[in-house]
Amino acid sequence: MFQDLESYMLPCFSKTFLNIECLGCGLQRSFLLLLNGNFFDAFKMYPAIFTLILLISFAIFNFFKKIKNANKIIGRLAYINLTIIIINYLIKISI
């Protein structure tokens, strides 16, 4: 159903011009795989996809209904996301 969206994806400029993957390489394709129901493939493409969706969902929910200690929760989710993204990036560039 969402396969046609692949033609609208933005190219990675660092990969295009410098031939170096960035920290976000694979995010769009991973999200498209997730929309198509390929959860394992989405995780393989970009491991932080699920925690990133959790972080964004929580931030949006907190925007409409204020939650006690939300800043602390958002900060920890952001730290977890950043850690996963950096580890994934280091693995990608070392292979």
Side-chain angles (χ1 to χ4, degrees):
M1 177 177 167
F2 296 105
Q3 283 85 9
D4 296 336
L5 294 176
E6 194 168 339
S7 60
Y8 296 104
M9 289 186 184
L10 299 172
C12 178
F13 292 108
S14 67
K15 192 170 185 177
T16 303
F17 296 116
L18 303 174
N19 204 21
I20 299 171
E21 289 195 12
C22 69
L23 293 172
C25 277
L27 179 61
Q28 293 180 92
R29 289 176 283 154
S30 176
F31 188 70
L32 186 61
L33 287 167
L34 196 62
L35 289 176
N36 286 318
N38 300 324
F39 301 109
F40 183 70
D41 291 336
F43 179 78
K44 281 179 24 182
M45 180 68 63
Y46 197 74
I49 188 72
F50 296 110
T51 54
L52 190 59
I53 289 173
L54 178 65
L55 172 64
I56 292 169
S57 300
F58 184 80
I60 291 171
F61 183 76
N62 183 54
F63 181 76
F64 293 108
K65 183 173 174 26
K66 299 299 180 195
I67 299 170
K68 187 178 179 182
N69 296 327
N71 290 339
K72 191 183 272 189
I73 295 169
I74 290 173
R76 288 186 179 159
L77 284 172
Y79 179 75
I80 290 167
N81 269 307
L82 188 59
T83 303
I84 294 170
I85 290 168
I86 290 172
I87 289 171
N88 181 47
Y89 179 72
L90 292 173
I91 290 170
K92 278 185 183 180
I93 62 171
S94 68
I95 293 177

